[in-house]
């Protein structure tokens, strides 16, 4: 299935209420972001560890399972993190706009 | 000085051992004698006795001098202590075990993949394996030999973006974002309780939920829709391009409920798509009937599109459906059979032959000549005379009796046929004046079916009864499609060019319960009921498929349509008056008076309006 990566990313960014998307590499350095630098670095740093812990918990229970998306729904908005071995995809959305 | 530089060889050897003192045992008693200890003790005791009074032995004292202690300090290098901790988590053990199981070639391949993916063209670069998720023991050993340098971030971005797992993460993320946006609508679709106060409007209306549309469908009109039989979230929609110069005249999009902005799969066809259906046995197979008469089967689950062409019908294929084969043993074993109907009047069954799809004709529709006309004319219709074929526009298989199906034709006849008999019709239902556009068996009431036609009317029939049990006519426009709801037994919807009508036979059989108009300039072209929800999907000429939610139309009082039919057929039950003439007149007056007050009597008045026409026949 040919997924157009750029097109899909642009589409995600154009959905109603999406505040920003960040792609972080394995070392925690943001490689693509639609937010300003300081916010990006903050999000990247904080969410990396959280996602790793979540992944560790999921896999501890059943090692053949794996974490696909971690969604943190807070009062103001929702942060969705998709962790993988060599990157981290973060989308922040405000669904009630 | 030269002598100093000479290399002189010195040889160090070991001398033989020189014995300086050898004290052997004085007593000459061997130690191995058994009583040697006892003997020695006796001798010693004797010696001690001799000593006490003997002058030979004198007591003397000595003192050893202890030297002064001296404190000597030394100093060594500090032992460097490093604290190292490791958590052996469950998954870490699992990963190590899996790594160990892999062959060395697989390891090599892994290493090569990693080195190739970074630093394109550079020889001695490798990406450091990050340890933030915890190194497993095996991988630490394997990669210890690699040169670790940090690569530039530019190739990093591309590699991450192009990797497969990123694409799948993107998909999941897109669906999550889309469902977030549509949360309320999706909850309404799935009948989940939403906190809204329900407005009880006097006239029930369809509530617009969302639209399946994207850039790809601009310039197309949606003609047919089908739900996947296995996964009720997947919807396939077939499109026809508006202008014939479009290189892709036909388009098929598979939409998921989770993402109404972009289809999951897009296939382009060489011809206009007239009809689609998913197979139940192989849920990933989608059969498509097209305007040029060919049929393709698409396999939806693989990466590429696999279409299999076929021997063609001569004329556009109007409808395809997968139906169960009659002659199998148990329900589970029944294989699906693809049957299609087309304007050339043939109903054909398709199967996978040696080279692509092949077909067998189940039935050919020919003009029925009246018996009288035949006798008068004196001509025989069989033999060499070419009989014109009648275009068949729609068909439907019986839901429980496999092998019986109805065909709607261009000249207004509906034929009931059987798979096993391809010469004659079992029954013919004749009442429509115009081409019959759609027939459908009721999924709830056995042997009841609905037909709609371009003569502005819809009829409800009972199998075996040659006159329609009920007729519905509400507007002066062709009815394109009339479909039963899959949830309520007495609910059906009909599509006219500019609006959708929803009829609820429990409440009103004279007028539709809901009428929904399309936007100006837009014509509605297709209709589909949702299977597990009270919603209806409507496709239009803009290429949009809109999802509407139907309000709960008196769910508590659902009667089967058959019971309504029973009131209307000529076979009266005990509840109805036997003596028609007087009582009918009486009841007409009475019901007209009462019908102004309550709505429930409209059922009765509807029956009574039908009754005179029945008696006339």
């Amino acid at each position: 299935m040919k997924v157009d990566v750029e097109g899909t990313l642009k589409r995600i960014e154009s959905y109603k209420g999406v505040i920003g998307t960040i792609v972080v590499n394995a070392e925690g350095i943001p490689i693509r972001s639609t937010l300003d630098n300081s916010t990006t670095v903050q999000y990247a740093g904080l969410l990396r560890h959280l996602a790793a812990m979540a992944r560790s918990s999921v896999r501890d229970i059943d090692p053949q399972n794996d974490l696909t998306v971690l969604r943190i729904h807070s009062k103001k908005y929702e942060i969705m993190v998709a962790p993988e071995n060599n990157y981290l995809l973060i989308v922040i959305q405000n669904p009630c706009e | 000085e030269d002598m100093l530089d000479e290399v002189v060889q010195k040889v160090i050897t070991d001398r033989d051992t020189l014995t300086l003192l050898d004290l052997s045992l004085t007593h000459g008693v061997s130690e191995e004698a058994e009583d040697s200890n006892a003997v020695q003790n006796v001798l010693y005791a004797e010696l001690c006795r001799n000593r006490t009074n003997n002058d030979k032995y004198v007591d003397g004292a000595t003192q050893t001098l202890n030297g002064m202690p001296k404190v000597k300090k030394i100093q060594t290098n500090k032992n460097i202590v490093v604290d190292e901790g490791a958590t052996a988590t469950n998954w870490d053990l699992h990963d190590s075990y899996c790594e160990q199981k892999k062959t060395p070639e697989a390891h090599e391949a892994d290493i090569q993949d990693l080195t190739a993916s970074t630093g394109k063209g550079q020889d001695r670069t490798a990406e450091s394996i990050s340890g933030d998720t915890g190194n497993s023991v095996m991988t630490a050993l394997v990669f210890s030999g690699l040169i670790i340098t940090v690569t530039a971030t530019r190739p990093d971005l591309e590699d991450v973006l192009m990797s497969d797992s990123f694409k799948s993460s993107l998909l999941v993320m897109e669906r999550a974002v889309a469902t977030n946006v549509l949360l309320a609508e999706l909850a309404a679709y799935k009948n989940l309780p939403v906190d809204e106060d329900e407005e009880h409007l006097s006239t029930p209306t369809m509530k617009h939920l969302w639209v399946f549309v994207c850039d790809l469908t601009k310039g197309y009109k949606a003609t047919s829709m089908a739900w996947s039989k296995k996964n009720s979230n997947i919807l396939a929609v077939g499109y026809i391009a508006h202008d014939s110069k479009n290189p892709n005249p036909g388009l098929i999009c598979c939409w998921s409920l989770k993402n109404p902005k972009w289809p999951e799969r897009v296939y382009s066809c060489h011809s206009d798509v007239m009809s689609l259906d998913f197979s139940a046995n192989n849920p990933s197979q989608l059969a498509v009937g097209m305007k040029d008469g060919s049929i393709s089967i698409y396999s939806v689950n693989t990466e590429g599109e696999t279409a299999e062409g076929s021997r063609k019908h001569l004329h556009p294929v109007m409808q395809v459906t997968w139906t169960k084969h009659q002659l199998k043993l148990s329900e589970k074993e029944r294989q699906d059979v693809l049957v299609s109907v087309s304007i050339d009047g043939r109903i054909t069954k398709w199967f996978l032959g040696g080279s692509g799809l092949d077909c067998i004709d189940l039935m050919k529709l020919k003009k029925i000549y009246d018996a009288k006309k035949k006798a008068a004319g004196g001509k025989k219709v069989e033999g060499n005379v070419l009989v014109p074929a009648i275009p068949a526009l729609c068909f439907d298989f019986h839901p429980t009796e496999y092998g019986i199906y109805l065909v709607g034709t261009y000249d207004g006849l509906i034929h009931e046929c059987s798979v096993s008999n391809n010469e004659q019709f079992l029954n013919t239902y004749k009442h429509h004046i115009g081409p019959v556009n759609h027939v459908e068996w009721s999924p709830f009431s056995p042997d009841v079916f609905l037909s709609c036609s371009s003569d502005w009317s819809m009829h409800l029939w009972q199998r075996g009864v040659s006159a329609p049990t009920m007729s519905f006519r509400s507007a002066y426009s062709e009815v394109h499609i009339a479909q039963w709801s899959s949830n309520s037994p007495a609910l059906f919807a009909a599509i006219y060019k500019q609006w959708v009508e929803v009829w609820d036979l429990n409440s009103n059989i004279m007028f539709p319960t809901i009428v929904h108009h399309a936007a100006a300039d837009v014509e509605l072209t297709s209709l589909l009921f949702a299977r597990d929800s009270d919603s209806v999907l409507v496709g239009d000429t803009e290429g949009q498929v809109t999802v509407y939610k139907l309000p709960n139309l008196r769910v508590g009082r659902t009667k089967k349509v058959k019971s309504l039919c029973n009131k209307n057929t000529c076979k009266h039950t005990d509840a109805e008056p036997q003596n028609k003439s007087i009582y009918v007149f009486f009841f007409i007056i009475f019901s007209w008076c009462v019908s102004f007050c309550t709505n429930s009597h409209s059922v009765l008045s509807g029956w009574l309006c039908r009754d005179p026409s029945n008696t006339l026949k």
Side-chain angles (χ1 to χ4, degrees):
Chain A
M1 179 183 38
K2 298 167 270 186
V3 175
D4 173 23
V5 172
E6 275 302 321
T8 313
L9 269 173
K10 289 221 162 38
R11 243 190 356 262
I12 291 182
E13 282 152 22
S14 68
Y15 271 92
K16 184 182 105 162
V18 172
I19 298 172
T21 54
I22 305 171
V23 181
V24 180
N25 75 349
E27 280 110 27
I29 303 169
I31 48 183
R32 189 203 147 108
S33 168
T34 58
L35 300 168
D36 56 280
N37 199 26
S38 55
T39 322
T40 306
V41 167
Q42 198 179 19
Y43 268 107
L46 293 169
L47 289 171
R48 222 176 98 227
H49 297 293
L50 187 62
M53 283 228 62
R55 195 155 181 235
S56 172
S57 316
V58 166
R59 292 204 72 204
D60 248 351
I61 297 168
D62 178 8
Q64 290 175 336
N65 202 357
D66 198 3
L67 181 67
T68 41
V69 176
L70 172 68
R71 290 167 83 156
I72 305 165
H73 197 101
S74 71
K75 268 197 237 172
K76 292 194 182 169
Y77 36 72
E78 178 166 351
I79 306 171
M80 288 168 274
V81 183
E84 282 291 327
N85 272 332
N86 45 353
Y87 67 86
L88 202 66
L89 170 65
I90 304 169
V91 174
I92 306 144
Q93 186 187 16
N94 181 0
C96 319
E97 220 178 66
Chain B
E1 283 174 32
D2 289 338
M3 278 176 62
L4 286 173
D5 290 335
E6 265 179 36
V7 177
V8 176
Q9 272 197 339
K10 298 278 181 192
V11 177
I12 304 171
T13 54
D14 205 12
R15 269 268 198 130
D16 290 337
T17 314
L18 287 172
T19 314
L20 293 171
L21 177 61
D22 189 13
L23 275 178
S24 48
L25 284 170
T26 48
H27 283 278
V29 180
S30 75
E31 287 185 6
E32 285 141 27
E34 285 179 17
D35 51 354
S36 62
N37 280 341
V39 168
Q40 275 185 330
N41 287 343
V42 165
L43 288 172
Y44 186 63
E46 208 183 299
L47 187 69
C48 286
R49 252 184 287 132
N50 289 344
R51 256 208 276 185
T52 49
N53 296 326
N54 210 339
D55 288 333
K56 273 199 215 171
Y57 294 94
V58 176
D59 280 330
T62 57
Q63 186 177 21
T64 51
L65 291 170
N66 290 329
M68 260 190 51
K70 189 162 116 178
V71 175
K72 181 115 188 170
K73 293 186 186 163
I74 56 168
Q75 192 171 24
T76 55
N77 287 333
K78 182 181 175 194
N79 285 334
I80 300 172
V81 175
V82 176
D83 279 329
E84 191 74 47
T87 323
T89 52
N90 215 358
W91 52 269
D92 203 356
L93 295 168
H94 181 265
D95 279 350
S96 314
Y97 184 63
C98 291
E99 282 287 321
Q100 202 177 26
K101 271 186 166 183
K102 272 198 211 171
T103 61
E105 287 93 28
H107 270 304
E108 280 301 314
D110 276 352
I111 298 169
Q112 269 176 15
D113 278 341
L114 276 164
T115 53
S117 66
T118 64
K120 303 170 192 171
Q122 294 174 17
D123 287 343
R124 289 174 61 208
T125 56
E127 198 174 73
S128 70
I129 312 302
S130 65
D132 48 290
T133 54
N135 261 340
S136 60
V137 177
M138 270 315 278
T139 51
L141 287 175
V142 168
F143 293 118
S144 57
L146 285 180
I147 308 159
I148 298 171
T149 57
V150 179
T151 61
T153 54
R154 198 80 201 139
D156 217 8
L157 170 68
E158 314 241 329
D159 300 324
V160 166
L161 289 184
M162 290 306 137
S163 66
D164 282 338
S165 59
F166 189 72
K167 289 175 192 166
S168 60
S169 289
L170 266 183
L171 267 178
V172 173
M173 195 61 86
E174 192 182 354
R175 282 185 203 155
V177 171
T179 48
N180 264 343
V181 173
L182 283 185
L183 208 57
E185 286 88 359
L186 277 176
Y189 178 86
K190 303 253 179 202
N191 288 331
L192 294 171
V194 184
D195 349 285
E196 289 175 12
D197 16 46
E198 306 212 348
E199 309 163 17
H200 290 280
L201 299 169
S202 51
T203 49
T205 52
M206 300 208 285
K207 195 169 117 185
H208 173 104
L209 288 182
W210 72 83
V211 185
F212 285 110
V213 70
C214 72
D215 284 341
L216 295 175
T217 60
K218 274 190 194 152
Y220 286 86
K221 60 178 177 178
T223 51
S224 53
M225 300 187 274
W227 287 106
S228 161
K229 300 257 162 62
K230 185 172 167 198
N231 184 351
S232 57
N233 283 341
I234 305 281
L235 173 73
V237 183
Y239 298 88
I240 293 185
H242 274 302
D243 72 63
S244 50
K245 289 179 204 156
N246 193 330
N248 296 326
L251 190 70
I252 301 173
C253 286
C254 286
W255 296 88
S256 161
L257 280 183
K258 298 177 192 168
N259 188 354
K261 283 218 178 167
W262 193 259
E264 301 290 316
R265 301 270 192 278
V266 179
Y267 303 111
S268 59
C269 312
H270 55 272
S271 160
D272 298 346
V273 175
M274 304 296 293
S275 169
L276 304 165
D277 199 16
F278 270 100
S279 162
N281 272 72
N282 306 326
S284 64
Q285 285 189 354
L286 176 64
V288 179
M290 299 192 234
K291 198 165 187 182
D292 66 353
S294 61
I295 292 196
S296 302
I297 295 185
Y298 284 85
S299 183
V300 174
N301 62 353
T302 52
E303 290 246 344
E305 351 165 326
T306 55
E308 302 169 33
S310 65
R311 214 178 72 185
K312 298 178 180 190
H313 275 284
L314 301 166
H315 284 281
V317 176
M318 291 309 289
Q319 198 172 342
V320 289
T321 190
W322 292 89
T323 182
K324 302 274 192 200
H325 201 277
Q326 199 182 6
L327 307 164
K328 288 286 176 170
L329 297 169
S330 70
E331 271 293 323
K332 286 177 197 167
E333 283 179 12
R334 280 182 204 262
Q335 290 294 313
D336 273 36
V337 164
L338 178 62
V339 183
S340 72
V341 68
S342 121
I343 288 191
D344 62 5
R346 281 165 46 216
I347 297 151
T348 51
K349 178 170 94 169
W350 299 82
F351 54 90
L352 277 172
S355 55
L357 289 173
D358 209 0
C359 64
I360 295 180
D361 280 350
L362 288 179
M363 175 70 69
K364 279 200 182 110
L365 293 180
K366 301 166 219 165
K367 236 185 170 92
I368 301 177
Y369 286 92
D370 271 340
K372 284 183 196 169
K373 204 172 162 189
K374 190 169 145 188
K379 292 179 195 170
K380 289 192 185 160
V381 191
E382 315 120 354
N384 318 334
V385 180
L386 280 174
V387 179
I390 299 185
L393 294 175
C394 53
F395 73 140
D396 192 29
F397 275 81
H398 197 280
T400 47
E401 272 183 57
Y402 308 123
I404 305 287
Y405 60 95
L406 295 168
V407 183
T409 61
Y410 192 74
D411 54 0
L413 300 174
I414 301 174
H415 302 293
E416 181 181 337
C417 320
S418 160
V419 164
S420 46
N421 184 345
N422 61 356
E423 290 294 322
Q424 287 174 332
F425 310 127
L426 293 177
N427 218 335
T428 302
Y429 302 93
K430 187 173 167 175
H431 202 260
H432 279 294
I433 309 167
V436 178
N437 286 331
H438 197 86
V439 276
E440 190 167 342
W441 291 98
S442 163
F444 290 94
S445 314
D447 296 342
V448 168
F449 63 92
L450 182 70
S451 69
C452 71
S453 104
S454 302
D455 68 353
W456 307 338
S457 72
M458 294 176 278
H459 292 302
L460 183 76
W461 308 76
Q462 232 181 329
R463 186 179 168 194
V465 176
S466 55
T469 319
M470 272 198 249
S471 297
F472 310 102
R473 181 180 304 219
S474 76
Y476 300 117
S477 176
E478 312 172 345
V479 189
H480 282 298
I481 300 176
Q483 268 204 341
W484 287 100
S485 156
S486 39
N487 294 341
S488 317
L491 199 67
F492 67 90
I495 288 246
Y496 297 74
K497 267 199 178 152
Q498 289 282 337
W499 64 94
V500 184
E501 285 182 354
V502 177
W503 292 72
D504 182 7
L505 294 175
N506 283 330
S507 54
N508 192 341
I509 60 172
M510 292 302 288
F511 298 105
T513 314
I514 302 174
V515 177
H516 179 92
H517 287 266
D521 309 333
V522 171
E523 280 182 14
L524 301 173
T525 49
S526 57
L527 174 72
L528 188 67
F529 266 95
R531 230 180 274 143
D532 47 358
S533 139
D534 292 334
S535 309
V536 88
L537 281 80
V538 177
D540 61 23
T541 48
E542 291 285 310
Q544 297 184 2
V545 174
T546 322
V547 181
Y548 294 96
K549 179 154 168 73
L550 300 172
N552 264 343
L553 298 163
R554 294 190 215 179
V555 177
R557 272 178 45 193
T558 50
K559 295 178 262 185
K560 292 209 175 212
V561 183
K562 185 138 192 182
S563 65
L564 284 173
C565 289
N566 276 338
K567 286 189 192 165
N568 295 342
T569 57
C570 297
K571 309 168 205 159
H572 293 289
T573 62
D574 292 336
E576 278 117 340
Q578 296 294 322
N579 194 349
K580 287 181 201 168
S581 50
I582 304 171
Y583 281 73
V584 162
F585 177 72
F586 210 72
F587 266 66
I588 287 175
I589 305 272
F590 180 69
S591 64
W592 278 354
C593 300
V594 179
S595 68
F596 287 110
C597 310
T598 57
N599 203 14
S600 58
H601 280 267
S602 62
V603 173
L604 201 56
S605 60
W607 165 67
L608 288 162
C609 293
R610 289 263 59 81
D611 196 54
S613 66
N614 276 345
T615 53
L616 281 173
K617 288 191 180 156

